[in-house]
Structure formats: C-alpha cells, structure tokens
Amino acid sequence: MNTLERHRKFQKIWASNPGWKGWFSTVNHTDVGRMFLLTSFFFFGVGGVLAMLIRAQLATPDSAFVGPEVYSQFFTMHGTIMMFLFAIPTFEGMAIYLLPKMLGTRDLAYPRLTAYGYWCYFFGGSMLLASMVLGIAPNGGWFMYPPLTGPVFSPGINTDFWLLGITFVEISAMAAAVELSVSILRYRAPGMTLAKMPIFAWYALVTALMILMGFPPLILGSILLELERAFGLPFFQVDLGGDSLLWQHLFWLFGHPEVYIIFLPAAGAVSTILPVMARTTLLGYVWIVAAAVALAFLSFGLWVHHMFTTGIPQMGLAFFSAASTLVAVPTGVQVFAWIGTLWKGRPQLLLPMLYILGFFITFVIGGLTGVMVAIVPFDWQAHDTYFIVAHLHYVLFGGFVFPILAAVYYWLPHMTGRQRLFRIGEVAFALIFFGFHGTFLAMHWAGLLGQRRRIFTYDADAGWTVINLISSVSGFIMAFGLGMVLLDVVLNFFASLWSRRNPWNSGSLEWAMITPAPNYNFASLPHVEQRDPLWHDPGLAVRLARGEGYLSVPRHNRRETLTVEAARGTPDYIVVYPGNTRLPILMSAVTGLFFLSFLLKQYWFAPIPLIGVMALALYWVWMLGHRHDLGDDDIGHGIALPHAGEVDRAPGWWGSLFLLVANGVFFGSLIFGYGFLFTVAPGWPPPEWLEPSMIELVGGIAGAFVATIGIRIAIHSNRKSGSAWAGLMVAAAGTLAVILAMVALILRAPPPTEHAYNATLVVLGGYGLLHALLPMLMLGFLAARLQRGFISARRRAELPIAGIWIDYMAVVTALTLIAAHAPGYLA
C-alpha cells in the first residue's frame, strides 16, 4: 500500500460527515477543538464589547449612558463570560485540538464525551446570552454573593440564569478534565514515558486535575443556592441556621485555583513556543514540571485571602497571608527558566515572541501587585477598590490573553496550512500592549485614590475624572488592536500563501503531519524516545506517512489507536473508537431541558429530561462491546495486543476513576459545609436533632459492605467461568439496603425549610440515594449485558467499572449515615 492510498483509506474511515450538518455529528477532536476555539473567541468578543460599555459609562462623572440596573448586568456578565465562557473553554479547545497530535495518537480517550462537553458549553452559554437579550441577565456580580443573590433580595430569575447556566457550562469543563487526564496518561505514542512528554501535556494534565478538584465546590454552592431559591432550603439564611460566608468559602475554594487553572495552560503554551523562538531546548524541564505541580498544590491553600475583610481570626490571617506570598516561588522558577532558555538560545523576534515578551512584562507586574494584596494591612485598604480590578486583569489578561495570542499566531499555520501575507499582527500587538497598560495602570491609581469597584458613576469632585478618561480611551485603543488580530486571522484563511510543513522548525510531534491536519493525524503511530522527536529524527514525518510505525494498516473500517502503560509508555491495548453520531448533541439538549425546567420554575417537568438523559446514557454505552471474543490483534513490529473490552482496566474504568475524584471532592465540600455550619454559623444547635436509628445506620453500612463483596464475587466468578450472576445478585441486594437506608434518612429528617441542619440532612441523604441508584442501574445494565452475551471470561472490562462505583457508594454511605446520626447520639 503506497502513501497516497493509505491516506485516502484512513481519511475515509476517520472523516466527519460532509457539509454543515457534519458539525452536529462530528466527534473528531480536530473538529471539536476548532468549534471550542471559535465559540470561546466569539464569547471573548461579547465580553470585550461589555467591557467597552463599562468604560464608556465610567469615562465621565455623573454619566447617564446606562442606569445602575443595566450597569450591574454589564459587569456581572463581563466577568462571567470572560472567566467561564472564554478562558476555560479556550484552554479546552486548545488542548482538545493539540494534545493527540503532540502525544502521537489519533484522538482523545472519549470522542463522544468531547462532543457532549462542547454542546453543553454551547447551550449553557447561549442561555446566558439569551438573558442579556431579554434584559434579565444576572446582576449580582460574577461571584454571586448571598444574601444579595438570595430569594429575598433577588426574587427574579436573573440569578437563576447564572446558577443554572454556569452549572450547565461546568459539565463541559468536568467532561474535558476527565477526557484530558485519561488521554495524557494513557493515550500516547509508544515509548513516550512521562519524562518524555511535551511540556504542554504536563501543564494540561495539572490543569485538568485542578479542574476536577476545583470546580466541584462551586457546583455544590450553585446547587445549594438554587435549592434555597427554588424550595426555601435555608443554607445561607442566618436566621434559620445558615451563613452567607459558606458561599464565600465554597466559591473561593474554586475561585482562587481558577486563576491558576487559567494561567497554567498559557504558561504551557509559553514553555512550548519560547524554545522554538529561541532555537534551543527548554531549560529546566524537570524544574518547570515541579513548579507547575507545586503551584497547583499551593493554589488550593490560598482561598481565604479573598476573605481577609470578613473577620477571619488572626492566626488564619497570618497563615493565608504567608501562603499567598509563598506562591511567588514556583512562579519565579518558571519565569527564570524561561529567561534562561532565552539566554542559552538565539531568539528571533517573530510575532509569537512579541506576545510572549508582552506576557513577561505584564504578568510580572500582576504578580508583584499580587504579593502586595497578600499583605493583610494593605489588602484591608485596597479591598473592593479598582486596585483589585487592575491586579486581576494584569494577572488574567497578562497571564492568559497575551500567551494565547502568541499561541494563535504560532499554531495558525497548523490549522490553516497557510502563512500570513499581511503584517497586521505587529501593529495589533503594539495597540494591545500600550492600550492594556494605559487602561489598567490608571485603574491602580484610581483604586489607591479610593474608587470602589462596581459603582456605576461618581461625582466630578471625587478626583477620578482624568484617570477614568485615560483608562477608557486606552481601553478602546486595546479593543481596536484586538479587532485587528481578528482581521489578521480572517485574512489568513482567505488571503495568504500556502505554508511549508513545520514553518517554525519545531521539534514536537504535531508538526509531523500535513497541514491542515488530516482527520486521523498519523498514518502510523510513532515510537518516541526523545522529548523533541523531530529535532532528533528529521525524517520521522515521512516514515510515518509511509506506514513504518504502529497500526499502519486501515482494517475493518475501524478507527483504531493504542493506549500505553501510564508511566513507562509501553503499548498496552488497542482501542476502537465509535464513529460519527448525533447522540452527544441530543443528550446535551435533553440535559439542557432539565436546567430549563428549573429556570422556568416548572419543577414537575424536571424528572422527564432526567429519565431521558438516563435512557440516552444507557444507549450510549450499550453500543460498545462485542458478542464474541476478538483476541489479540497485530499492531506492527511483531507486537500483538488485546482490545480494550478484554482487559481489566479499560478506558471506562479510568474515566470513572477521575470522575469519582471530582465526585469525592464534591462530597467532601458538602461535608465541609456541614461542619462549617455546625461550628461557625449562628442559630446552632438546631431546634431538634435527627432521631438516631441503629437499624438505619447499621443496615445501610452493612448493605454497602455486602455490595462491595458481591461485585468482587461477580468479577472473580466471571474470570473463572464466564458467569457472574450470583455476585451480581448479592451486590444488588446490598445496594437495595443502601437505597432503603437513604430513603429512610430523607423521610425522617425534620422539615428542611425550617433550619439549615434539616436541609443539610436532606441534601446528604439525596446525594447518598443518587449514588446508590447509579450502582443499582449499573448492576441491571450488567445483567442485561450478561444475558445478551456481551460479557465473557475474556470480555470482562465492564464488571470492574461497576465495581469502582460500588466501592465509592460504600464510602459515601458510611460517611453520610455517620454524619447524620452522630449528633443525635452525642446529644
């Protein structure tokens, strides 16, 4: 088979459906990554327009451009769009598009999950845009502090748009985090150990793990606040045992790691592009990886520095102030490694390099002001002033937008196969750089003079007029520069020259293919022994196209790729991907109906889309697997490997593992909230405790233990004889006992609207019930699969997936029942 014939056969197997209708059924990572990026930059444009409207309002004192209500919607939606609809989805899109190409594989771990995440993002973001068009956009700030956003002070649906829309969008972030974590650890080129991964993959892995641990507290807070607004459960009402500070803790447990979730992917882009621009290798690869991990770890211990003015005890102030200054150390390690890379290389002042230099200057200034606000006495003075607004933008715009624009120009030839003809980008950089600093340096000044954030106007004698005018004019200059970037990118598609392959002479694998990239990425998968394979083997791209790597033969019309052992990179098993399908967009639309039913207060309708999602999920997984053993297949170079359905740790097991990590953080945040209200909130102890029940406590925990034993019996029996019926029945009986215990807990709890303790019991019981119903559903699914012949002694991958969920159910059951009954026994 010659190179052209191989290309045509692979392209036919991996191609998306033709025309615009193909957008709705594609699951290819290249297509979905582009869709993420296009949508996120559209939202960036919307957020930028809102920023200009804000600056127009503040350009002059006593402005009548807009009133306070509309202005509140402007700044709330500006922050919400930039944080949730631009920054995180841009990382997702960039990672989805690039990582399989960098890692030497053909797609991510779960292509349909990638598409489902995109459509959840698209529909959730559309909900928020619709609220603006209808004039009922969220107006409580992008941080949504209660009691302002509670049912008393915000009775309309403005706040509900935020709570439900953002939670809908966060499904996308969680899906991407699971997708990227599994893909980076398992879906790599053979030979690519963890120590040989591209530096961007390390940053993406750390970021994905941070999303899994950082987003659940905000999801929990959003659910609790929506339950308070919808059903009167008083989690944040002080007179009924709640505490509005609980929201601040949950929000900033997400909010501060969010800053580094935004920064780290941009730093990964800098660490990838900078060595290429300097024509050398990256200095301190191991140190940079360690710094990224340390930064992620430290970021979860800093959330209270957003709450220095809320009456935190002195010891807490000292601890979190010290931790906040300590974060400068791993950041400094990365900055000095980048400087060292420039020093040892021969830098070229090309356009991506200009944006990286802009990043250096801007981000270092933002980091220095960050150290300033980490000092408690200064923070007390600057808190809630425009100094904080300026600091935030120096960190986020300087630390994210400048590197992302460098990445846009660096990887644009890869996406289009073209090189720029006009030199608009250099002029745009100058306008953006000087416009940005003119805008936000002035804001520092205004903040130090006492201008409060979120005010819609000010008096002429306040002394801020000239400063705000300078800031507004500079903001419009920056916006004009960003518009020129858009023009430059559009011209690159329609008025440019064809580019040669690898125009930057990079050493990473994404350039070892024709551009624009084919749907299958690589005609054969490489064996990687170096961090920069194209620098060490310039002929690699040609040999891969000739079929000299792994899985070089298109066969059985299958979309095939390999997984590797996580640490060593040795080939593990073959994965066959599903083809194009509209199932992801359909499932996301049905998911959206659930959120829409809450938004419109039609709570009776909510179970219907939930049943629909469950049915679609069952169909989703039913399509996988075979009724006959496939055996080992040849992958080339004399190696034969089993298929994913015939191993113990299939992709579904790994995905469940990372999803349960996030689930565990969510549950831990719920227990934290319970403990916080118990120890800090006024109005405790409650009027009455839950009456302890030894039958409920012991029966539920014993049932969970029996379920874990049962699923292990099923796994062992199936491996020996291909029959798992007895173990499944034991596991189902134990799970049923857990369900009954959780139902009893919910029914016996005191009325949930009368006190936060009662409401917390109901939520704990509901969480435990949900995580008992899911394993029961899985057991029923396994029974059906066993009956229809999808499970055998060799085709054993599905049983361990249910096993890990049952184990999680057991932990949740024990902790929930103990937490619910212990106060009653102690009282």
Side-chain angles (χ1 to χ4, degrees), residues 95-120:
I96 288 168
Y97 178 85
L98 287 173
L99 278 174
K101 300 172 175 62
M102 287 182 164
L103 296 174
T105 187
R106 287 176 175 153
D107 210 323
L108 295 169
Y110 315 107
R112 294 182 298 176
L113 183 64
T114 312
Y116 173 71
Y118 169 76
W119 290 112
C120 287

Side-chain angles (χ1 to χ4, degrees), residues 492-747:
N492 186 267
F493 280 89
F494 298 105
S496 57
L497 303 175
W498 288 108
S499 173
R500 63 182 176 89
R501 180 187 292 184
N502 196 5
W504 309 108
N505 192 29
S506 169
S508 50
L509 277 176
E510 76 270 23
W511 298 102
M513 60 186 68
I514 58 176
T515 55
N519 292 309
Y520 55 87
N521 289 343
F522 300 96
S524 59
L525 302 183
H527 187 90
V528 174
E529 297 181 350
Q530 303 289 339
R531 288 179 191 153
D532 301 293
L534 293 188
W535 284 349
H536 291 85
D537 185 1
L540 178 63
V542 174
R543 293 206 310 277
L544 294 179
R546 289 175 180 167
E548 297 179 18
Y550 299 98
L551 291 179
S552 61
V553 180
R555 56 188 178 189
H556 310 305
N557 205 33
R558 291 176 182 165
R559 299 183 178 187
E560 292 182 317
T561 195
L562 293 178
T563 66
V564 297
E565 194 276 333
R568 299 191 301 271
T570 54
D572 199 1
Y573 52 82
I574 300 169
V575 173
V576 178
Y577 292 121
N580 301 321
T581 174
R582 289 188 173 88
L583 188 58
I585 187 174
L586 176 61
M587 190 165 171
S588 63
V590 176
T591 306
L593 289 177
F594 171 78
F595 289 100
L596 198 61
S597 65
F598 266 77
L599 181 65
L600 300 178
K601 313 299 182 185
Q602 302 300 310
Y603 307 120
W604 62 270
F605 185 74
I608 298 175
L610 280 181
I611 295 171
V613 169
M614 180 182 69
L616 290 171
L618 290 174
Y619 178 68
W620 182 301
V621 293
W622 188 267
M623 295 167 62
L624 303 174
H626 300 273
R627 296 188 185 184
H628 59 276
D629 294 342
L630 297 177
D632 294 355
D633 266 341
D634 178 60
I635 65 168
H637 299 274
I639 300 175
L641 294 178
H643 284 260
E646 300 176 358
V647 298
D648 292 320
R649 298 290 182 262
W653 188 91
W654 285 93
S656 294
L657 176 65
F658 284 100
L659 182 58
L660 288 174
V661 168
N663 214 340
V665 175
F666 181 96
F667 181 65
S669 301
L670 180 56
I671 295 295
F672 163 80
Y674 182 41
F676 176 82
L677 293 177
F678 197 105
T679 56
V680 175
W684 286 65
E688 60 174 320
W689 298 106
L690 175 73
E691 185 68 28
S693 169
M694 188 60 67
I695 295 177
E696 186 180 297
L697 176 63
V698 176
I701 295 176
F705 178 74
V706 168
T708 61
I709 297 298
I711 193 63
R712 281 162 174 77
I713 293 173
I715 294 171
H716 179 73
S717 300
N718 180 70
R719 195 171 294 164
K720 288 184 63 177
S721 62
S723 176
W725 284 108
L728 291 181
M729 295 299 291
V730 172
T735 305
L736 179 60
V738 174
I739 292 173
L740 294 175
M742 292 301 168
V743 170
L745 172 62
I746 295 171
L747 295 178

